[in-house]
Amino acid sequence: MANRDDFRASTIRKIAQRAGYRCSNPTCLRPTIGPDGADDSASIGVAAHISAAAEGGPRYDPTLAPEERADAENGIWLCQTCSRLVDVDVTSHSIEVLREWKTQAETRAFLGIRGLSIEVPDRRFHKLEGMMPRLIAEMRDDIAQHPFVREFIVMSKKWSYNGDPENLIFSYFFEDHDNLKPMLKVMRNHGAIIETTYNNVDRFEFTEEFAEYLQLPV
C-alpha cells in the first residue's frame, strides 16, 4: 500500500477554522459542526486533500514533496457528502477548481467575522460559459437590455409565435445555435433555467441565480 501524506490533527483544525467550519463547496456551504441532539457536539466535516495524499489518488501531483502534500495549503474543508463528490467526479473538480473554492471559503470566513459578505460568480454558470459561449453571450445581452425579463422561447425562424404583447419574452433560434435543445438540457441540469413549456411551445425561465450571474460585470 502506498505511503500516505496525511494531515496532522493540528493541520486539520487549521483547515477547518480557516473555512469557518463550513463546507467550502460554494453551492453547499453547510455548517459542519453543531449539537449532536444530546449534550455533545457532532462534526460532518472533512479535511480533504486537494492533491491526493498518495499515488493513485484523485488529482495526485508527483511534483509535490511529502510535506507539501500534508500541508494546510493542500487541504480544503468539505462536508462528508462533498468530499466524496470531488473525489468521484475528478473531471469537474480539478486542482484549480478546489483551490478557487478554498480561496472563496477563506475569504468568506474572513469577511463573515467582520460582519461583511462576499459575492462570487457561481462556478456552475461559469462552466456553462465555456460550453456554450455564444448562447450565454446572447442571453447576457438580452438581460442587459431588459433586466426584469426571465422568460424565453426557443423556435425556428420559419415559425411564428403570437404571444402576449404586454408580456415581453426573449427568443432563441435553432438556426443560430447548433444543438440548442441539448444545451438547454445541460442548463437545466446546472440550475440555470427551468422549463415552463405549454401549448407545444418550448418555453423556459431563467432562475434568479442565473439572471443575477448574467448581470455581473464580465
Side-chain angles (χ1 to χ4, degrees):
M1 185 176 179
N3 293 328
R4 290 182 54 84
D5 299 313
D6 290 321
F7 299 126
R8 294 185 178 186
S10 59
T11 303
I12 293 173
R13 185 167 59 252
K14 180 179 180 180
I15 294 169
Q17 290 175 341
R18 287 185 61 82
Y21 284 95
R22 285 185 177 271
C23 179
S24 298
N25 181 344
T27 64
C28 179
L29 303 180
R30 180 183 303 173
T32 61
I33 194 166
D36 67 351
D39 297 323
D40 209 341
S41 62
S43 174
I44 59 168
V46 177
H49 280 75
I50 294 175
S51 179
E55 187 174 358
R59 298 170 298 276
Y60 179 74
D61 183 355
T63 67
L64 293 182
E67 56 270 22
E68 291 176 305
R69 251 179 237 113
D71 190 80
E73 284 301 308
N74 190 42
I76 182 170
W77 192 250
L78 298 167
C79 68
Q80 292 177 359
T81 299
C82 290
S83 70
R84 290 191 292 270
L85 170 67
V86 300
D87 285 350
V88 170
D89 185 5
V90 177
T91 302
S92 299
H93 302 94
S94 64
I95 288 175
E96 292 74 20
V97 168
L98 296 189
R99 290 203 180 283
E100 182 179 339
W101 285 8
K102 178 182 177 74
T103 298
Q104 291 179 5
E106 293 184 354
T107 302
R108 190 178 293 111
F110 175 84
L111 294 175
I113 62 175
R114 291 161 175 80
L116 304 171
S117 63
I118 181 174
E119 294 289 338
V120 295
D122 195 311
R123 184 73 193 185
R124 294 171 300 165
F125 305 147
H126 183 70
K127 185 176 180 180
L128 291 175
E129 294 264 13
M131 299 172 66
M132 51 194 80
R134 289 181 59 248
L135 178 58
I136 301 300
E138 185 176 348
M139 290 175 169
R140 179 173 283 116
D141 289 343
D142 285 341
I143 207 165
Q145 297 179 55
H146 305 284
F148 299 111
V149 176
R150 298 291 181 268
E151 293 183 282
F152 68 91
I153 60 172
V154 296
M155 58 185 293
S156 169
K157 292 180 177 180
K158 301 175 183 177
W159 305 345
S160 62
Y161 174 71
N162 298 316
D164 182 355
E166 299 295 323
N167 184 27
L168 177 65
I169 63 174
F170 302 135
S171 300
Y172 304 106
F173 299 101
F174 297 121
E175 291 86 349
D176 294 336
H177 303 282
D178 294 335
N179 301 311
L180 181 55
K181 281 199 171 182
M183 288 194 292
L184 294 176
K185 182 176 182 180
V186 172
M187 293 183 72
R188 292 201 307 273
N189 292 343
H190 281 72
I193 61 174
I194 57 175
E195 184 171 2
T196 58
T197 294
Y198 66 91
N199 290 340
N200 298 316
V201 177
D202 291 322
R203 193 176 185 121
F204 302 84
E205 288 185 14
F206 298 139
T207 62
E208 284 305 312
E209 292 85 357
F210 185 57
E212 290 175 4
Y213 173 82
L214 290 175
Q215 296 177 78
L216 290 173
V218 178

